[in-house]
Amino acid sequence: MDLTHFDENGNARMVDVTAKTETERMAAAAGKIKVSPDVLMAVKERRVAKGDVLTVATTAGIAGTKKTWELIPMCHIVPLTGCTIEWNFKEESCEIECRCTARCTGKTGVEMEALTGVSVALLTVYDMCKAIDKTMEIGEIRLLEKNGGKSGHFVRKD
Amino acid sequence: MDLTHFDENGNARMVDVTAKTETERMAAAAGKIKVSPDVLMAVKERRVAKGDVLTVATTAGIAGTKKTWELIPMCHIVPLTGCTIEWNFKEESCEIECRCTARCTGKTGVEMEALTGVSVALLTVYDMCKAIDKTMEIGEIRLLEKNGGKSGHFVRKD
Amino acid sequence: MDLTHFDENGNARMVDVTAKTETERMAAAAGKIKVSPDVLMAVKERRVAKGDVLTVATTAGIAGTKKTWELIPMCHIVPLTGCTIEWNFKEESCEIECRCTARCTGKTGVEMEALTGVSVALLTVYDMCKAIDKTMEIGEIRLLEKNGGKSGHFVRKD
Amino acid sequence: MDLTHFDENGNARMVDVTAKTETERMAAAAGKIKVSPDVLMAVKERRVAKGDVLTVATTAGIAGTKKTWELIPMCHIVPLTGCTIEWNFKEESCEIECRCTARCTGKTGVEMEALTGVSVALLTVYDMCKAIDKTMEIGEIRLLEKNGGKSGHFVRKD
Amino acid sequence: MDLTHFDENGNARMVDVTAKTETERMAAAAGKIKVSPDVLMAVKERRVAKGDVLTVATTAGIAGTKKTWELIPMCHIVPLTGCTIEWNFKEESCEIECRCTARCTGKTGVEMEALTGVSVALLTVYDMCKAIDKTMEIGEIRLLEKNGGKSGHFVRKD
Amino acid sequence: MDLTHFDENGNARMVDVTAKTETERMAAAAGKIKVSPDVLMAVKERRVAKGDVLTVATTAGIAGTKKTWELIPMCHIVPLTGCTIEWNFKEESCEIECRCTARCTGKTGVEMEALTGVSVALLTVYDMCKAIDKTMEIGEIRLLEKNGGKSGHFVRKD
């Protein structure tokens, strides 16, 4: 089993997708941040007041999906045709879940864009809450679903 | 307990650190990616051959720390004075651990730089191995240690 | 009347244009900078000599149109197929007018690109002349014309 | 009267500030966007609900100040030590005013950062409201105040 | 003979390619860096060990091709569909040759992307070896081949 | 003789300069582009008319120096305090020479900034003239002088 991002001489490369067909593609990824009860309360209160932590983090996450190709060296520039970020509070476990869905019409998938969007959004939550809690932990960043390429429809089971 | 990134009217802001003293600062963060045995083997083989996955990911992670202020809206531009990324294979649990240490002489801490470096490096590993395994999961991204600011020396316990 | 950049739960989003047709699109925007007679004279003299203020500003403005998606969080990455910037001196009112025309073949309009090009070009004029005059004022930044989308041909009246 | 951004041979240049002293500097700029009553109402409603237009625009504006040196060719990279953006509704004239204050400890002023922050924030309001109204106009972008350099304290009169 | 990047009034512009047809395009460029024997040996040794200079430089070069439109003001944003960088040691003359091939499906050629990739990759080699040798020299950066546009197939003779 | 950009385990790293003293630093680099007589004439004519090729290239080169840390993975972010680009026509050999001088007050040298400025400026000349001549060649990119660090004053001999 071989890594497609290297040629036979071991040179890293951007995979050639010139000959591939443009199709409508979608990818959704998720992740979460584990926070202290103080942070959870502060973010939730902000959610219903002016100066919303999650609006800043959503803005950063969407902007981040557009910078995926700048961050991940072998990623193609993919002009996304749509991007959403959604949030979910899990109060019992003190976690804030983030889900990012990216879409394009192109020759290559957008799972890296969705994963980057989740990562940047969660890092932004961390940044805005770190004065309260330095022990927050970001985790479970994973691909949920992917559609539109020749590898078919992927849906994560669990 | 209040969020410092908002003023009294709820406007998001970059916190004013003008009056703070420049000190030598350090932050270390870590995270990991859970992969399939095939991926672990492919990455480990690359480690000793030409075309090293982890050299590409290290390069991306270090470049990523320098883009932290572009990704996280309220972060200050911090000219880092040093940055390292280290890797550790955990073969039993099929995990690749990443640790990023960032340094600066400045008025504000560099924990976001260290956390961003870890995130980008792990996303790059994901990108280069995703043709083999789509179920990899990135997690346990957390601050390990922080030093040099007025809040003193933080070391994560666990 | 509702804002398309938010979903029903109030989450900001990049509008999904995946299903839209690619068409040839054009947008033109304009604005101006009000300057002192000294600045007007210095810029006009530069126009006919080496070291042209307006060539630097044109270069910055065209480069700026390509960064629109980086600056405006919900804008799509639009690979422009053409961009021009033109200048006009209004000597009686001591104003320098700037007009930017952007073109693409794509699924979404390029009015933000044209408006951003005008803004960046005028800010560059400000920067290069601010040693002479700090009271310059940038204004009347507006869309002049827009074509190619399903909303038809817009031409500003005034 | 001469333009400092060109040498004696007409070559554009970044002005040499190496020998200048680092001082605490501040600049404040303002501007406004003229909108339709529908837009004013939609933005005001968003201000008190989830999904705030002005939080997105504030986020974009603060991020924009950090990109000033990328947009304006002869600007120095200035690591800002603080940045705020404030908004004011003028209901009678259907205008939304924006004020950006930037701070640094450095060798050169931050007026371009404040002016760029205002411009990007107002362009973001335009982008998010343009589905309702294409005739919005951005104007009166000007320096309000500047402090900390050898040219002394500038305060705009009007 | 006229320069297409200026209009009849002397304004710099991004050339309008809206009406051109999308075709598969390729460009290859090359260049080299002349180094000291110590550097040549150090780089060659790294090639077969961990921490490969040329993997870092390849990563930087591929990332650099994606930034061509940011660096070269009149270049269009071209979403590349593929990019490779290859290296060749010329031991007698103490030179390391670099070749970059860029591909896209688009309306304009990618020779600037290939030339930028070579330049950034060689500058990265310089950076990583400059502690050993400050007299290295980068040269012979040139287009080798270009295909896919209406100007036909160009192959450099020499 | 060892490469400072790798640690003892072969991990690439940004060299730690935290403990170094801030000093005034300067670096000058040069390079040239070999062009056809047609291009030389077109550029020279532009030099004295509106729409100057070399003003666009100077603008791009200065902007490029500020992006050095984005392009070269292990480079530190260095806020330059000054940057100039100068040009020289060598008519007999049909060459256009470019010289870039970069300055900072910092802990690390700016030779990569000067070399990157030359490279980007020359690539921009290539871009603007390539419709006339595809065989232009960029070469002799080298450090001329470097001052201000603990390694003393370097001046290239030849």
Side-chain angles (χ1 to χ4, degrees):
Chain A
M1 194 158 295
D2 208 21
L3 297 176
T4 51
H5 280 88
F6 295 96
D7 67 17
E8 62 274 21
N9 299 315
N11 293 307
R13 65 179 168 191
M14 188 196 293
V15 175
D16 188 356
V17 299
T18 315
K20 294 176 79 174
T21 312
E22 290 210 336
T23 56
E24 293 188 10
R25 289 156 188 275
M26 179 277 278
K32 64 178 191 183
I33 185 165
K34 169 87 178 166
V35 300
S36 68
D38 279 348
V39 168
L40 190 75
M41 196 170 58
V43 173
K44 283 195 69 174
E45 278 169 6
R46 283 287 169 196
R47 191 59 174 161
V48 293
K50 292 190 286 180
D52 181 357
V53 172
L54 297 188
T55 298
V56 176
T58 299
T59 304
I62 291 174
T65 60
K66 294 187 279 185
K67 292 184 151 290
T68 302
W69 60 270
E70 271 189 67
L71 297 170
I72 317 295
M74 304 303 151
C75 272
H76 300 83
I77 298 184
V78 179
L80 295 181
T81 52
C83 180
T84 57
I85 285 186
E86 290 159 300
W87 300 91
N88 186 29
F89 288 100
K90 299 186 76 172
E91 304 198 25
E92 283 176 41
S93 53
C94 249
E95 292 169 332
I96 306 170
E97 285 186 330
C98 174
R99 180 181 169 132
C100 175
T101 307
R103 292 169 198 282
C104 80
T105 304
K107 297 184 173 200
T108 185
V110 289
E111 61 265 54
M112 293 316 301
E113 280 72 13
L115 289 161
T116 301
V118 167
S119 299
V120 173
L122 290 172
L123 286 166
T124 301
V125 173
Y126 188 103
D127 178 49
M128 300 191 87
C129 300
K130 69 181 189 295
I132 303 179
D133 179 12
K134 285 181 179 52
T135 66
M136 291 174 288
E137 183 176 316
I138 294 172
E140 293 184 29
I141 296 175
R142 64 205 187 281
L143 184 64
L144 296 182
E145 189 179 352
K146 180 182 182 314
N147 210 346
K150 73 170 188 215
S151 64
H153 191 177
F154 165 84
V155 181
R156 186 183 180 92
K157 300 168 214 133
D158 65 17
Chain B
M1 194 158 292
D2 207 20
L3 298 176
T4 52
H5 280 89
F6 296 96
D7 67 17
E8 62 274 20
N9 299 314
N11 293 305
R13 64 180 169 190
M14 188 196 294
V15 175
D16 187 357
V17 298
T18 315
K20 294 176 79 175
T21 313
E22 290 210 337
T23 55
E24 293 189 10
R25 289 156 187 275
M26 179 276 279
K32 64 179 192 182
I33 185 165
K34 168 87 179 166
V35 300
S36 68
D38 279 348
V39 167
L40 190 75
M41 196 170 58
V43 173
K44 285 194 69 175
E45 278 169 6
R46 284 286 168 197
R47 193 57 174 160
V48 294
K50 290 191 289 182
D52 181 356
V53 172
L54 297 188
T55 298
V56 177
T58 299
T59 305
I62 290 174
T65 60
K66 293 188 278 184
K67 292 184 152 290
T68 302
W69 60 270
E70 271 189 68
L71 296 171
I72 316 295
M74 304 303 150
C75 272
H76 300 83
I77 299 184
V78 179
L80 295 182
T81 51
C83 181
T84 57
I85 284 186
E86 290 158 300
W87 300 92
N88 186 30
F89 289 99
K90 299 186 76 171
E91 303 199 25
E92 284 177 39
S93 54
C94 248
E95 292 169 332
I96 305 170
E97 284 185 329
C98 174
R99 180 180 169 134
C100 175
T101 306
R103 292 172 198 280
C104 81
T105 304
K107 297 185 174 199
T108 185
V110 290
E111 61 264 55
M112 293 316 301
E113 281 70 15
L115 289 161
T116 301
V118 166
S119 299
V120 173
L122 291 172
L123 286 166
T124 301
V125 172
Y126 188 103
D127 179 48
M128 300 191 86
C129 300
K130 69 182 190 293
I132 303 179
D133 179 13
K134 284 181 180 53
T135 66
M136 291 174 289
E137 185 176 315
I138 294 172
E140 292 184 29
I141 296 174
R142 63 207 186 280
L143 184 64
L144 296 181
E145 189 180 353
K146 180 181 183 314
N147 210 345
K150 73 169 188 218
S151 63
H153 192 179
F154 165 85
V155 181
R156 186 183 181 94
K157 301 167 212 134
D158 65 14
Chain C
M1 194 158 291
D2 208 19
L3 298 175
T4 52
H5 280 89
F6 295 95
D7 67 17
E8 62 275 19
N9 299 315
N11 293 307
R13 64 179 170 192
M14 189 197 293
V15 175
D16 187 357
V17 299
T18 315
K20 293 176 80 174
T21 313
E22 291 211 336
T23 56
E24 293 188 10
R25 290 156 187 275
M26 179 277 279
K32 63 179 191 182
I33 185 165
K34 168 88 178 164
V35 300
S36 69
D38 279 348
V39 167
L40 190 75
M41 195 170 58
V43 173
K44 284 195 69 175
E45 278 168 8
R46 282 287 167 195
R47 191 58 174 160
V48 293
K50 290 190 289 182
D52 182 355
V53 171
L54 298 188
T55 298
V56 176
T58 298
T59 304
I62 290 174
T65 60
K66 293 187 278 184
K67 293 185 151 290
T68 301
W69 61 270
E70 271 190 69
L71 297 171
I72 317 294
M74 304 303 150
C75 272
H76 300 83
I77 298 184
V78 178
L80 295 181
T81 51
C83 181
T84 57
I85 284 185
E86 290 159 299
W87 300 91
N88 186 30
F89 289 101
K90 298 187 76 171
E91 305 199 23
E92 285 177 39
S93 54
C94 248
E95 292 169 333
I96 305 171
E97 285 185 330
C98 174
R99 180 180 169 133
C100 175
T101 306
R103 292 171 199 280
C104 80
T105 305
K107 298 184 174 200
T108 185
V110 289
E111 61 264 56
M112 294 316 300
E113 279 72 13
L115 289 161
T116 301
V118 166
S119 299
V120 173
L122 291 172
L123 287 165
T124 302
V125 173
Y126 187 104
D127 179 48
M128 301 191 86
C129 300
K130 70 182 189 294
I132 303 179
D133 179 14
K134 285 180 179 51
T135 66
M136 291 175 288
E137 184 176 316
I138 294 172
E140 292 184 28
I141 296 174
R142 64 206 186 279
L143 184 65
L144 297 182
E145 190 179 351
K146 180 182 184 311
N147 210 346
K150 73 169 189 218
S151 64
H153 191 178
F154 164 84
V155 181
R156 186 183 180 93
K157 300 169 212 132
D158 64 17
Chain D
M1 194 158 294
D2 208 21
L3 299 176
T4 51
H5 279 89
F6 295 96
D7 67 18
E8 62 275 21
N9 300 313
N11 293 306
R13 65 179 169 191
M14 187 196 294
V15 175
D16 187 358
V17 299
T18 314
K20 293 175 80 174
T21 312
E22 290 211 337
T23 55
E24 293 189 10
R25 290 156 187 275
M26 180 277 278
K32 64 178 191 183
I33 184 164
K34 169 87 179 165
V35 300
S36 69
D38 278 349
V39 167
L40 190 75
M41 196 169 59
V43 173
K44 284 196 69 173
E45 279 169 6
R46 283 286 168 196
R47 191 61 175 158
V48 294
K50 291 191 287 180
D52 182 357
V53 171
L54 298 187
T55 298
V56 176
T58 299
T59 305
I62 290 174
T65 60
K66 293 186 279 183
K67 293 184 151 289
T68 302
W69 59 270
E70 272 190 68
L71 296 171
I72 316 295
M74 303 305 150
C75 272
H76 300 83
I77 299 185
V78 180
L80 295 181
T81 51
C83 180
T84 57
I85 284 185
E86 289 159 300
W87 300 92
N88 186 28
F89 289 100
K90 300 185 76 172
E91 304 199 23
E92 284 175 40
S93 54
C94 249
E95 291 169 334
I96 306 171
E97 285 187 329
C98 174
R99 179 180 169 133
C100 175
T101 306
R103 292 171 198 280
C104 81
T105 303
K107 298 184 174 201
T108 185
V110 290
E111 61 264 57
M112 293 316 300
E113 281 70 15
L115 289 161
T116 301
V118 167
S119 298
V120 172
L122 291 172
L123 286 165
T124 302
V125 173
Y126 188 103
D127 179 48
M128 301 191 87
C129 299
K130 69 183 191 294
I132 302 179
D133 179 14
K134 285 180 179 52
T135 66
M136 290 174 289
E137 184 175 315
I138 294 172
E140 292 184 29
I141 296 175
R142 63 206 186 281
L143 184 65
L144 297 181
E145 190 179 351
K146 180 181 183 314
N147 211 343
K150 72 170 188 215
S151 64
H153 191 179
F154 165 84
V155 181
R156 186 183 180 93
K157 300 168 212 131
D158 65 16
Chain E
M1 193 157 293
D2 209 21
L3 298 176
T4 52
H5 279 90
F6 295 96
D7 67 17
E8 62 275 20
N9 299 314
N11 292 307
R13 64 179 169 190
M14 188 197 292
V15 175
D16 188 357
V17 299
T18 315
K20 293 176 80 173
T21 313
E22 290 210 336
T23 56
E24 293 188 10
R25 290 155 187 276
M26 180 277 279
K32 64 178 191 183
I33 184 164
K34 169 87 177 163
V35 299
S36 68
D38 279 348
V39 167
L40 190 75
M41 197 169 58
V43 173
K44 284 194 70 174
E45 278 169 6
R46 283 287 166 196
R47 192 58 174 159
V48 294
K50 290 190 288 180
D52 180 357
V53 172
L54 297 188
T55 298
V56 177
T58 299
T59 304
I62 291 174
T65 60
K66 294 188 278 184
K67 292 185 152 289
T68 301
W69 60 269
E70 271 190 69
L71 297 171
I72 316 295
M74 304 303 151
C75 272
H76 299 82
I77 299 184
V78 179
L80 296 180
T81 51
C83 180
T84 57
I85 284 185
E86 290 158 300
W87 300 92
N88 186 29
F89 289 101
K90 300 186 76 171
E91 304 200 23
E92 285 176 40
S93 54
C94 248
E95 292 169 333
I96 306 170
E97 284 185 330
C98 174
R99 180 181 169 133
C100 175
T101 307
R103 293 171 197 281
C104 81
T105 305
K107 298 184 174 201
T108 185
V110 289
E111 60 264 55
M112 293 316 301
E113 279 72 14
L115 289 161
T116 301
V118 167
S119 299
V120 173
L122 291 172
L123 287 165
T124 302
V125 173
Y126 187 103
D127 179 48
M128 301 190 86
C129 300
K130 69 181 191 293
I132 303 178
D133 179 13
K134 285 181 179 51
T135 65
M136 291 175 288
E137 183 176 315
I138 294 172
E140 292 184 29
I141 296 175
R142 63 206 187 280
L143 185 65
L144 296 182
E145 188 179 352
K146 180 181 182 313
N147 210 345
K150 73 171 187 214
S151 63
H153 191 179
F154 165 85
V155 181
R156 186 182 180 94
K157 299 170 212 129
D158 64 16
Chain F
M1 194 158 292
D2 208 20
L3 298 175
T4 52
H5 279 89
F6 295 95
D7 67 18
E8 62 275 20
N9 299 314
N11 293 306
R13 64 179 169 190
M14 187 196 293
V15 175
D16 187 357
V17 298
T18 314
K20 294 176 79 174
T21 312
E22 290 211 337
T23 55
E24 293 189 10
R25 290 156 187 275
M26 181 276 278
K32 63 178 192 183
I33 185 164
K34 169 89 177 162
V35 300
S36 68
D38 279 348
V39 167
L40 190 75
M41 195 170 58
V43 172
K44 285 194 68 175
E45 278 169 6
R46 283 287 167 195
R47 192 58 175 158
V48 293
K50 290 190 288 181
D52 180 357
V53 172
L54 298 188
T55 298
V56 176
T58 299
T59 306
I62 290 174
T65 60
K66 294 186 278 184
K67 293 184 151 290
T68 302
W69 59 270
E70 272 189 68
L71 296 170
I72 316 296
M74 304 304 150
C75 271
H76 299 83
I77 299 184
V78 179
L80 296 181
T81 51
C83 181
T84 56
I85 285 186
E86 290 158 300
W87 301 92
N88 186 29
F89 288 101
K90 299 185 76 172
E91 304 199 23
E92 283 176 41
S93 54
C94 249
E95 291 169 335
I96 305 170
E97 285 186 329
C98 174
R99 180 181 170 132
C100 175
T101 307
R103 292 171 198 280
C104 81
T105 305
K107 298 184 174 200
T108 185
V110 290
E111 62 263 57
M112 293 316 301
E113 281 71 14
L115 290 161
T116 300
V118 167
S119 299
V120 172
L122 291 171
L123 287 166
T124 302
V125 173
Y126 187 103
D127 179 48
M128 300 191 87
C129 299
K130 69 181 190 294
I132 303 179
D133 179 12
K134 285 182 180 51
T135 65
M136 290 175 289
E137 185 176 314
I138 294 172
E140 293 184 28
I141 296 175
R142 64 206 186 281
L143 185 64
L144 297 182
E145 189 179 352
K146 181 180 182 315
N147 211 345
K150 72 169 189 215
S151 63
H153 191 180
F154 165 84
V155 181
R156 186 183 181 94
K157 300 169 212 130
D158 65 17

